[in-house]
């Protein structure tokens, strides 16, 4: 009997193992109606289920730096301004905004806007919201800390109430990207948070957005929202204005890309984000599915540690740029849905240096530069060497960029570099990167504001602890002139002058190549054909206000 | 000097002894094959296992492609019966590498991991089990409690924890697999030891004045080593699955090494467009572990005397 069991169990285990990949996903929780959600009178107008690739980290608009969190939060919370799918900024909770001078912004608030608990939004709430972000240690749960979103509004020095529905913001200097970056801050209710604290607020968040919170699974594996009937309508510039179309919206986390696609095909979810490139054709061929793309905002590169041999030699860094066939990668891995990066900024950034073009694919040039740096194959093992040492490199990256990283490693091996790939958890590798302990790191850094601020100073300014400068600088690049230009660019109001500043900065970074500038993939999302009025946004936000589901 | 003839006769004695031994072994082997032929499933398992062993041994000779270097232009070529291209019989993966080549090299990884982890487990388990079972005492209770403690953890979860702690790599993988793998052999050998040491032939050996070491090595171990052999074969399949599971989770070997588990894992994202990338490495695991288990069960029927009595 024992023998029989053993064999059966082994076989079953294996079969499960082999076919788990093929099996369509069974949702970890039964469909929404089976969870604790009470059916509402509006059930008829449909429930839309969105599959996210990762779980939100918090539902507190002031306590996260993640796109998934922002996607969910911005359906529950509105901000002073909002952004449409094509990068235009529009007034939302603000009725008007006027610059009194370069450092002072007067804001008139919309009247009659209600939070989900029925109280009205006033200037007090707006002042409270921003002070909670810019002042130290305002978020007391789970332990007192400063809002991680402070960096997104660093120049804001103070905010004062000038009337029941008007506030004034004071900035430390001219701040050109103010409008684009204010989009990322949402208004929270003062009285409610003061009453229940941050812990209570996260348990039941209340905002002014088109949907109100119903329930969330632990770890935000699933968040259920329902239509807020007293919604003021949203930005009058963005039609349709009024209540949301869908009665209920469910955000469900499905980390596995192929499982997300299967769930969409099976009708378990209505909208999926981060569609893997390989599956776009399959999805496009299905008439029950619509696939849409938006210009990408997550440029990918390999940052090379400029203080660690062999990447302390600019010729080696340039050679690695020439050795990557970006067009082949775009064609084969991304199905043409990506562009080559022309330098440190995305080609869609408002301040991209238009005179730069991507490093061409030229292995002769790469080998030439490498031999100038002293690397040549002297012992005939088809691996480049210098002083008896073979050229070996490890590309550190995250599991999600596996295909890209392995393709680049293949191209490096083809010219005689012993390149390997290693996968990490971002939270583990980040400290090592900032400490300059890693050699080469492939990842991206979002620029959804389409402005160099929030992006350029994070990647290419020398690292300065506890400031936004260099917070994502994984190449340990530190160029005095670039630092200077970055600081100038953040406080120069005149567009032409800013352009000149950023042009110079990009040119320097391009020439010194502290990174291998790779590609910018488009954001690809898919929805079932019954979903209407849905447009993926470049900042990967899912704005569900306008989206409808036809039965 | 009269030593010459002595040496010659001593040598002749040795040759004679070895010839007898070889004949005995050969006879045993023929007996074994005959008994095995009564277990057709075990035969099939044995043949498949030998095929796997051969392809792992001669991976360099029988494959024509590079298992690591890819070519994006050759991405996702379908298997021969779909694409009609014999250059890549089982198709290519998402980096444009020949799948068959990688599976053959993957056999090497799986079998090395299987043999090495079981081998180390056997050595540690037999050593500790012999000492504990034969001598008993405080050492016995100490190691037995440790074994009970380790048995309280599910194997895979334990291995995941060890790998997450140590990080990926070959040595760490073997460590993670043997850290708990020795326990089963320890318990088996200790139990057998306890039973055997009271039997008459051991008493007889003791009366003739043999030392502990001689009694263990020459009298008891030869009587229980067959059980260890059977258990080892059966455990090997389990070790291979565990290695594949760890690689599948990204906790096994570094990603550039073609391990079946990580091949299954990387193919998941493209399963709808290139089903073969995950499926064939999965089948490779399935067939190897099936073969090992079928063969192991045949071995048990043949070698384990008690089971034969029950049967």
């Amino acid at each position: 009997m024992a023998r029989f069991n053993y064999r059966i169990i082994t076989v079953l285990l294996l079969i499960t193992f082999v076919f788990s990949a093929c099996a369509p996903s069974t949702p970890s929780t039964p469909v929404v109606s089976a969870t604790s959600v009470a059916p509402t009178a509006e059930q008829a107008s449909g429930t839309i289920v969105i599959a996210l690739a990762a779980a939100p980290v918090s539902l507190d608009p002031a306590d996260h730096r993640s796109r998934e969190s922002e996607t969910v939060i911005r359906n529950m919370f509105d901000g002073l301004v909002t952004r449409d799918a094509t990068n235009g900024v529009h007034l939302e909770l603000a009725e008007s905004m006027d610059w009194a001078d370069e450092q002072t912004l007067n804001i008139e608030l919309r009247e009659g806007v209600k939070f989900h608990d029925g109280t009205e939004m006033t200037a007090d709430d707006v002042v409270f919201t921003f002070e909670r972000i810019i002042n130290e240690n305002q978020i007391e749960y789970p332990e007192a800390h400063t809002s991680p979103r402070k960096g997104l509004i660093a120049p804001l020095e103070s905010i004062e109430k000038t009337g029941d529905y008007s506030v004034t913001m004071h900035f430390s200097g001219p701040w050109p990207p103010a409008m684009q970056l204010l989009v990322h801050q949402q208004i929270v209710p003062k009285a409610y948070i003061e009453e229940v604290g941050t812990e209570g607020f996260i348990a039941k968040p209340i905002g002014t957005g088109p949907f109100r919170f119903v329930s969330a699974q632990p770890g935000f594996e699933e968040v259920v929202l329902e239509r807020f009937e007293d919604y003021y309508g949203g930005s009058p510039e963005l039609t349709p204005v009024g209540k949301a179309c869908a009665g209920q919206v469910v955000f469900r986390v499905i980390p596995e890309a192929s499982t997300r696609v299967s769930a969409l095909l099976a009708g378990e979810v209505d909208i999926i984000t981060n569609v893997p490139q390989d599956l776009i054709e399959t999805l496009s061929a299905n008439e029950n599915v619509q696939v849409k793309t938006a210009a990408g905002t997550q440029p990918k590169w390999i940052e090379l540690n400029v203080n660690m041999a062999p990447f302390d030699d600019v010729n080696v860094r340039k050679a690695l740029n020439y050795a990557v066939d970006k067009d082949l990668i775009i064609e084969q891995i991304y199905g043409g849905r990506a562009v080559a990066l022309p330098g440190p900024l995305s080609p869609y950034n408002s301040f991209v240096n238009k005179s730069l073009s991507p490093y061409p694919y030229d292995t002769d040039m790469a080998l030439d530069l490498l031999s100038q740096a002293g690397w040549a194959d002297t012992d005939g093992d088809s691996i480049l060497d210098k002083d008896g040492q073979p050229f070996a490199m490890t590309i550190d990256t995250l599991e999600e960029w596996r295909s890209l990283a392995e393709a680049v490693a293949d191209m490096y091996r083809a010219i005689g570099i012993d390149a390997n790939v290693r996968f990490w958890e971002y939270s583990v590798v980040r400290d090592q990167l900032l400490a300059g302990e890693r050699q080469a790191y492939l990842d991206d850094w979002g620029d959804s504001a389409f402005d160099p601020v929030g992006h350029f100073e994070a990647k290419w300014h020398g690292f300065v602890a506890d400031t936004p400068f260099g917070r994502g600088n994984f190449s340990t690049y530190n160029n005095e002139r670039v630092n200077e230009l970055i600081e100038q660019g953040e406080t120069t109001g005149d567009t032409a002058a800013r352009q000149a500043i950023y042009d110079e900065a990009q040119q320097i970074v391009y020439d010194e190549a502290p990174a291998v500038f790779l590609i910018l993939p488009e954001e690809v999302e898919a929805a079932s054909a019954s979903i209407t009025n849905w447009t993926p946004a470049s900042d990967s936000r899912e704005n569900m206000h306008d989206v409808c589901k036809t039965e | 000097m009269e030593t010459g003839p002595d040496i010659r006769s001593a040598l002749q004695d040795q040759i004679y002894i070895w010839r007898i031994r070889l004949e005995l072994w050969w006879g045993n082997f023929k007996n074994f094959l005959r008994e095995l032929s009564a277990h057709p499933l075990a035969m099939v398992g044995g043949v498949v296992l030998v095929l796997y062993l051969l392809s792992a041994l001669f991976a360099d000779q029988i494959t024509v492609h590079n298992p690591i270097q890819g070519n994006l232009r050759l991405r996702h070529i379908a298997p021969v019966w779909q694409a009609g291209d014999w250059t890549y019989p089982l198709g290519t993966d998402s980096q444009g590498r020949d799948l068959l080549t990688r599976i053959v090299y993957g056999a090497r990884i799986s079998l090395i991991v299987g043999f090495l982890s079981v081998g180390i487990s056997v050595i540690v388990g037999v050593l500790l089990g012999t000492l504990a079972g034969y001598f008993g005492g405080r050492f016995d209770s100490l190691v037995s409690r440790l074994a009970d403690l380790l048995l309280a953890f599910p194997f895979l979860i334990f291995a995941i924890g060890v790998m997450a702690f140590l990080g990926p790599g070959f040595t760490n993988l073997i460590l993670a697999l043997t850290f708990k793998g020795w326990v089963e052999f320890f318990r088996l050998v200790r139990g057998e030891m306890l039973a055997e040491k009271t039997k008459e032939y051991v008493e007889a050996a003791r009366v003739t004045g043999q030392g502990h070491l001689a009694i263990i090595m020459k009298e008891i171990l030869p009587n229980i080593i067959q059980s260890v052999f059977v258990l080892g074969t059966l455990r090997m399949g389990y070790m291979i699955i565990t290695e594949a599971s760890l690689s599948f989770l990204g906790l096994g070997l570094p990603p550039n090494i073609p391990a079946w588990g990580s091949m299954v894992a990387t193919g998941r994202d493209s399963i709808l467009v290139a089903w073969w990338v995950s499926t064939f490495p999965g089948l490779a695991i399935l067939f190897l572990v099936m073969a090992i288990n079928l063969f192991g069960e045949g071995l048990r029927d043949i070698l384990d005397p008690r089971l034969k009595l029950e049967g």
Side-chain angles (χ1 to χ4, degrees):
Chain A
M1 190 58 206
R3 294 163 52 210
F4 183 68
N5 274 346
Y6 189 82
R7 186 193 298 176
I8 290 297
I9 288 170
T10 315
V11 172
L12 285 180
L13 262 177
L14 273 160
I15 290 174
T16 317
F17 184 55
V18 173
F19 291 101
S20 61
C22 323
S25 79
T26 36
S28 54
T29 48
V31 197
V32 191
S33 53
T35 58
S36 60
V37 185
T40 64
E42 305 291 343
Q43 196 78 353
S45 48
T47 295
I48 299 179
V49 185
I50 302 124
L52 298 173
V57 296
S58 173
L59 294 184
D60 181 347
D63 198 14
H64 71 90
R65 278 306 281 270
S66 93
R67 285 201 179 186
E68 288 78 16
S69 307
E70 192 164 341
T71 290
V72 178
I73 284 169
R74 280 168 66 186
N75 283 295
M76 287 190 284
F77 295 87
D78 280 356
L80 295 174
V81 287
T82 190
R83 187 188 291 131
D84 60 32
T86 52
N87 199 25
V89 174
H90 305 272
L91 296 174
E92 201 167 44
L93 290 174
E95 189 131 285
S96 68
M97 294 178 115
D98 298 295
W99 289 96
D101 58 57
E102 282 196 317
Q103 290 169 247
T104 314
L105 180 61
N106 290 323
I107 302 166
E108 293 294 324
L109 300 171
R110 191 178 300 281
E111 292 183 30
V113 173
K114 286 209 168 63
F115 283 108
H116 299 154
D117 61 355
T119 57
E120 194 185 6
M121 183 203 70
T122 66
D124 289 325
D125 298 305
V126 177
V127 170
F128 174 78
T129 296
F130 284 95
E131 286 185 341
R132 190 162 172 260
I133 291 164
I134 61 175
N135 292 340
E136 304 285 319
N137 292 328
Q138 290 299 299
I139 300 172
E140 82 285 359
Y141 176 82
E143 56 204 28
H145 62 282
T146 306
S147 167
R149 298 189 83 69
K150 183 179 161 99
L152 290 172
I153 193 161
L156 180 66
E157 279 192 327
S158 65
I159 176 167
E160 59 174 321
K161 177 182 175 182
T162 50
D164 282 348
Y165 297 100
S166 55
V167 295
T168 300
M169 288 182 168
H170 299 281
F171 295 95
S172 55
W175 195 41
M179 286 302 144
Q180 283 283 2
L181 284 169
L182 275 174
V183 169
H184 296 282
Q185 311 288 0
Q186 293 81 35
I187 306 304
V188 297
K190 175 175 193 254
Y192 180 67
I193 294 184
E194 282 178 349
E195 183 196 328
V196 300
T198 299
E199 189 177 0
F201 178 59
I202 299 170
K204 193 176 186 329
I206 283 177
T208 59
F211 294 94
R212 56 192 278 170
F213 178 82
V214 175
S215 67
Q217 302 251 330
F220 306 111
E221 291 295 313
E222 185 172 281
V223 180
V224 181
L225 312 179
E226 67 179 8
R227 177 167 56 205
F228 178 43
E229 301 297 341
D230 288 335
Y231 188 52
Y232 65 95
S235 173
E237 298 159 30
L238 299 174
T239 53
V241 176
K243 293 193 290 190
C245 179
Q248 193 165 287
V249 165
V250 179
F251 290 94
R252 185 179 298 157
V253 178
I254 306 182
E256 193 91 32
S258 50
T259 314
R260 279 200 300 282
V261 172
S262 309
L264 177 67
L265 292 174
E268 283 164 17
V269 303
D270 301 299
I271 297 175
I272 61 172
T273 59
N274 303 58
V275 175
Q277 300 294 334
D278 280 339
L279 298 177
I280 294 172
E281 299 306 325
T282 316
L283 281 176
S284 306
N286 188 320
E287 58 181 15
N288 294 321
V289 170
Q290 45 181 329
V291 177
K292 291 188 178 178
T293 58
T297 56
Q298 302 189 59
K300 307 204 184 327
W301 38 51
I302 304 172
E303 281 162 277
L304 303 170
N305 190 332
V306 298
N307 288 311
M308 191 187 270
F311 304 129
D312 49 356
D313 187 326
V314 66
N315 283 331
V316 174
R317 303 199 299 264
K318 281 185 148 173
L320 292 191
N321 269 288
Y322 283 113
V324 178
D325 189 347
K326 295 184 273 285
D327 292 337
L328 181 66
I329 288 175
I330 291 169
E331 196 49 47
Q332 292 292 331
I333 301 184
Y334 290 89
R337 291 182 185 82
V339 289
L341 280 184
L345 280 183
S346 141
Y348 305 125
N349 194 290
S350 317
F351 289 89
V352 66
N353 182 338
K354 295 200 171 54
S355 69
L356 298 179
S357 57
Y359 276 91
Y361 175 52
D362 187 341
T363 49
D364 293 337
M365 177 75 99
L367 287 170
D368 198 42
L369 285 164
L370 285 168
S371 73
Q372 283 177 40
W375 291 97
D377 181 16
T378 57
D379 51 8
D381 64 352
S382 56
I383 301 280
L384 301 174
D385 53 80
K386 178 181 176 180
D387 307 330
Q389 293 295 313
F391 193 145
M393 70 182 284
T394 299
I395 302 173
D396 295 309
T397 188
L398 311 179
E399 178 70 37
E400 50 190 319
W401 315 131
R402 173 189 282 274
S403 301
L404 179 59
E406 290 191 334
V408 174
D410 273 349
M411 289 167 185
Y412 288 162
R413 276 196 295 269
I415 62 162
I417 296 170
D418 181 15
N420 283 307
V421 179
R422 184 166 178 187
F423 303 108
W424 295 81
E425 291 285 333
Y426 181 67
S427 56
V428 176
V429 76
R430 183 174 179 271
D431 291 338
Q432 298 184 31
L433 289 165
L434 283 177
E437 289 164 8
R438 305 310 312 169
Q439 197 183 17
Y441 180 64
L442 190 160
D443 200 355
D444 55 22
W445 193 272
D447 78 331
S448 51
F450 294 90
D451 191 280
V453 172
H455 187 74
F456 215 91
E457 85 281 4
K459 296 313 285 186
W460 314 116
H461 192 293
F463 178 67
V464 186
D466 299 323
T467 70
F469 293 126
R471 66 180 186 277
N473 183 339
F474 302 145
S475 58
T476 64
Y477 180 69
N478 194 359
N479 178 307
E480 286 298 326
R481 179 62 186 157
V482 172
N483 292 352
E484 199 177 292
L485 289 166
I486 289 170
E487 283 155 42
Q488 279 177 19
E490 301 206 344
T491 51
T492 302
D494 180 63
T495 307
R498 277 192 91 201
Q499 183 71 58
I501 289 166
Y502 284 121
D503 278 354
E504 186 186 344
Q506 287 170 73
Q507 184 73 52
I508 298 172
V509 176
Y510 180 89
D511 289 337
E512 297 203 324
V516 179
F517 306 111
L518 296 172
I519 50 137
L520 175 69
E522 289 174 7
E523 305 286 341
V524 184
E525 296 176 1
S528 95
S530 62
I531 297 295
T532 56
N533 226 353
W534 161 75
T535 321
S538 284
D539 57 5
S540 14
R541 177 198 172 193
E542 294 294 325
N543 181 355
M544 300 308 297
H545 174 232
D546 303 342
V547 182
C548 293
K549 184 178 184 180
T550 54
E551 296 299 331
Chain B
M1 288 304 206
E2 298 287 315
T3 51
D6 279 339
I7 289 177
R8 201 180 307 133
S9 74
L11 199 69
Q12 277 167 346
D13 285 354
Q14 279 298 314
I15 290 172
Y16 182 72
I17 290 169
W18 274 101
R19 220 181 70 205
I20 299 287
R21 277 187 185 169
L22 277 176
E23 274 172 12
L24 267 174
W25 284 344
W26 179 239
N28 279 341
F29 185 64
K30 276 199 294 193
N31 275 339
F32 171 72
L33 281 185
R34 198 178 310 124
E35 295 206 42
L36 196 63
S37 64
H39 297 81
L41 275 178
M43 281 275 278
V44 173
V47 169
V48 173
L49 185 56
V50 167
L51 286 179
Y52 268 97
L53 281 170
L54 287 178
S55 61
L57 271 177
F58 299 106
D60 300 313
Q61 283 75 33
I62 62 175
T63 60
V64 289
H65 301 287
N66 186 319
I68 292 169
Q69 182 68 34
N71 181 349
L72 276 187
R73 289 174 209 284
L74 303 173
R75 193 161 195 263
H76 287 167
I77 295 176
V80 59
W81 57 90
Q82 280 189 5
D85 183 1
W86 274 104
T87 325
Y88 305 102
L90 297 182
T92 59
D93 68 4
S94 54
Q95 299 299 128
R97 296 172 295 209
D98 179 44
L99 211 54
L100 181 62
T101 304
R102 283 176 68 74
I103 289 174
V104 169
Y105 275 89
R108 192 177 270 188
I109 302 295
S110 284
L111 286 168
I112 290 177
V113 168
F115 276 112
L116 213 56
S117 57
V118 170
I120 296 175
S121 297
V122 164
I123 292 170
V124 175
V126 169
L127 187 71
L128 293 178
T130 305
L131 294 177
Y134 188 82
F135 295 107
R138 192 167 294 180
F139 176 78
D140 179 25
S141 25
L142 197 76
V143 183
S144 295
R145 289 301 83 72
L146 177 65
D148 291 344
L149 192 76
L150 288 173
L151 272 186
F153 294 97
F155 193 91
L156 182 60
I157 295 182
F158 191 81
I160 289 173
V162 174
M163 286 309 281
F165 183 72
L166 297 173
F170 187 77
T171 322
N172 293 349
L173 180 66
I174 299 294
L175 265 178
L177 292 177
T178 50
F179 207 83
K180 201 164 127 50
W182 62 273
V183 174
E184 301 231 340
F185 297 97
F186 165 77
R187 287 167 63 98
L188 172 77
V189 172
R190 177 178 173 274
E192 299 266 356
M193 243 339 150
L194 286 174
E196 296 291 317
K197 76 174 179 187
T198 56
K199 290 196 175 157
E200 285 89 349
Y201 73 92
V202 179
E203 297 282 338
R206 197 169 291 145
V207 169
T208 60
Q210 293 195 42
H212 290 310
L213 188 68
I215 293 176
I216 291 171
M217 295 303 289
K218 291 189 174 157
E219 306 292 337
I220 309 182
L221 272 186
N223 278 310
I224 63 177
I225 207 70
Q226 290 183 336
S227 314
V228 173
F229 197 58
V230 170
L231 181 66
T233 317
L234 292 171
R235 291 303 291 171
M236 202 168 118
Y238 195 71
M239 291 294 191
I240 288 172
I241 292 189
T242 310
E243 184 270 328
S245 311
L246 288 172
S247 299
F248 181 83
L249 296 170
L251 289 167
L253 297 166
N256 55 330
I257 296 178
W260 289 338
S262 55
M263 289 164 73
V264 173
T266 52
R268 277 175 310 166
D269 278 350
S270 46
I271 193 87
L272 293 179
V273 283
W275 57 270
W276 53 90
V277 180
S278 284
T279 309
F280 289 125
L283 289 175
I285 304 171
L286 178 76
F287 290 141
L288 175 59
V289 178
M290 278 285 283
I292 291 175
N293 285 348
L294 291 175
F295 183 67
E297 280 172 18
L299 268 192
R300 171 154 61 186
D301 290 349
I302 297 165
L303 294 182
D304 200 317
R306 254 149 312 171
L307 236 151
K308 221 192 295 191
L309 281 178
E310 285 167 24

